[in-house]
Every structure is written in C-alpha cells, then in structure tokens.
C-alpha cells in the first residue's frame, strides 16, 4: 500500500481484557517496528522484525506483551490482561533494510485507553 | 546507554522569525541521526537522516546539521504550517532500534 496502515485507530478496553493491534506495512519493506508513545514521554521501542530472522523483543515491557509477523507482512501486537499503565499510542513503522540506514515510515497509530 | 536530549521543550515564534532546535546525543558509534515531524494525532513523518559530522541537509525552510555531539534543526522564515512537534532520534552501529528524544513542540503564530 501507499503507507503504513494501523487498525483500529482508537481502542477503549476494560482493565484485564486482552487487545490486538494490527499493522500493515508498506509493501516490500522488510523491517517492521512497534513503538509506544505515552503522554509526555518520548517514543519507546517495543519490538523489531526483519525478514525471517528472530525478532528483537528486548523492548517489550512485560510478558503480557507479544507480537507476531505473518508471511513477512502484517503484524499483530497483543497485550494480555491490560492495565491502566498500558494506555498509550502504539505506533508501527516499516523500512527498507540495507547498507545505509533508511528513515522509518510510521503509521498513524492506535490510541489505546484502558479504563 | 544511548541517549537523546532535545531543547527547548517548547518554542513559540512569530511567522518569519528564524530559530534553531537542538538535539544533543550520546551513542556508542553513530549509524544515523534522524529528524521527524509529528502533527497531533498522527505518526511521525520522516524529514532527514544525517550520517556523519559536518553533514547538512535541507528541505524547504528546514536545514539539519550534525556535529559529533549534537544536531541542529534550523528553521528559516517559518510559516504557521510549520507548527508541529519535531523529534530527533539516533541509531547506534549494530543496533536496529531508534532512540528518540522527547521532542520540541514548535508553534508559529501568524
């Protein structure tokens, strides 16, 4: 597609429920990233996928968070047993990987509110 | 630990009043320094990548420069549509993730 698409754009959920956030990267982009942006905070790295390599999960804040990327394209970020501190905007980005680093293209994000 | 500090946190300018935003960084070998623009309710939009000290890049009213310790985003004769939050990020050699600063919220008054 023309850009990175994320759905839903907004999600309100009750504390303790599970949520799934979806990301459709730009076609042909081999790298996919998830970041989290909390109010008044900078962007926080969560997880990185590159081709068929094992993902870099070093930024996931707890074992309630997981992500997968199917067929090297669409990615889903799952948060189990949501807590109020999970409320944030979850941003997905994709990029080409190569010898020179390329800027990411971000989606518009999913605003998650846990009540 | 890689770190990025942006200043000021917020900046108000009159239309046409030029200024600069600062991004100070510490990184274990720089692979790239990035500038992004973020409008409310949207994801960051890529502006520039700088790779080595002394490099400069320009786009319309924006010019980004890089030294070994900091980067500046110079805004010349800004317009109200330049109002946004500007984010700086670094990528270390051998790393995949970007480390972001907190951003500078820029407001240009007509």
């Amino acid at each position: 597609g023309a850009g990175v698409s994320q759905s839903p754009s907004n999600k309100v959920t009750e504390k303790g429920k599970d949520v799934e956030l979806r990301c459709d990267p730009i076609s042909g982009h081999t790298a996919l990233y998830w970041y989290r942006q909390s109010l008044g905070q900078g962007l926080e790295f969560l997880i990185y996928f590159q081709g068929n390599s094992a993902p870099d999960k070093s930024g996931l804040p707890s074992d309630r968070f997981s992500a997968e990327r199917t067929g090297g394209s669409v990615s889903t970020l799952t948060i189990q047993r949501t807590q109020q501190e999970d409320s944030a905007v979850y941003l997905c980005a994709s990029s080409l990987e190569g010898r020179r680093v390329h800027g990411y293209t971000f989606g518009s994000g999913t605003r998650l509110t846990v009540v | 630990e890689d770190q990025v500090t942006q200043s000021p946190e917020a900046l108000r300018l009159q239309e046409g009043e030029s200024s600069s935003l600062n991004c100070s960084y510490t990184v274990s070998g720089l692979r790239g320094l990035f500038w992004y623009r973020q409008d409310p309710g949207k994801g960051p939009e890529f502006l520039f990548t700088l790779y080595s000290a002394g490099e400069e890049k320009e786009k319309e009213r924006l010019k980004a420069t890089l030294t070994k310790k900091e980067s500046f985003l110079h805004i010349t004769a800004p317009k109200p549509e330049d109002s946004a939050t500007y984010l700086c990020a670094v990528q270390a050699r051998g790393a995949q993730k970007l480390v972001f600063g907190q951003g500078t919220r820029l407001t240009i008054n007509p």
Side-chain angles (χ1 to χ4, degrees), chain B residues 24-64:
Chain B
S24 297
Y25 66 92
T26 54
V27 66
S28 52
L30 181 68
R31 188 176 181 210
L33 183 140
F34 301 79
W35 282 98
Y36 285 84
R37 168 194 171 125
Q38 187 173 25
D39 293 298
K42 297 194 175 180
E45 174 189 347
F46 172 71
L47 293 174
F48 305 108
T49 308
L50 301 168
Y51 298 99
S52 57
E55 189 174 0
E56 298 183 354
K57 289 201 175 163
E58 285 189 65
K59 179 180 178 179
E60 295 180 358
R61 295 176 292 282
L62 300 176
K63 183 167 88 171

Side-chain angles (χ1 to χ4, degrees), chain A residues 35 37 42 48 100-101 104, chain B residues 36 38 51 91 96 98 102:
Chain A
Y35 281 78
Q37 189 172 32
Y48 159 72
R100 290 283 261 195
V101 63
Y104 298 173
Chain B
Y36 285 84
Q38 187 173 25
Y51 298 99
Q91 186 176 37
Q96 303 304 330
L98 297 190
Q102 305 277 36

Side-chain angles (χ1 to χ4, degrees), chain A:
Chain A
V4 176
S5 177
Q6 291 188 245
S7 61
S9 55
N10 281 285
K11 176 73 176 178
V12 179
T13 190
E14 290 180 354
K15 179 181 170 181
K17 295 280 179 72
D18 298 352
V19 295
E20 282 189 355
L21 313 180
R22 177 187 167 103
C23 173
D24 273 286
I26 291 174
S27 178
H29 278 191
T30 54
L32 186 146
Y33 307 79
W34 284 96
Y35 281 78
R36 178 167 73 173
Q37 189 172 32
S38 304
L39 195 62
Q41 305 282 328
L43 273 76
E44 173 191 3
F45 168 76
L46 296 177
I47 189 168
Y48 159 72
F49 295 90
Q50 167 56 23
N52 295 320
S53 302
D56 175 358
K57 304 179 182 179
S58 61
L60 294 178
S62 77
D63 59 8
R64 296 186 295 104
F65 288 73
S66 63
E68 63 177 20
R69 188 179 185 190
T70 54
S73 182
V74 171
S75 177
T76 303
L77 177 69
T78 301
I79 308 173
Q80 295 179 310
R81 305 181 302 282
T82 51
Q83 304 295 313
Q84 288 187 328
E85 61 262 28
D86 299 333
S87 296
V89 176
Y90 289 81
L91 291 162
C92 175
S94 68
S95 74
L96 290 169
E97 284 290 302
R99 188 176 65 85
R100 290 283 261 195
V101 63
H102 297 271
Y104 298 173
T105 301
F106 280 89
S108 291
T110 294
R111 180 175 298 277
L112 176 67
T113 304
V114 181
V115 297

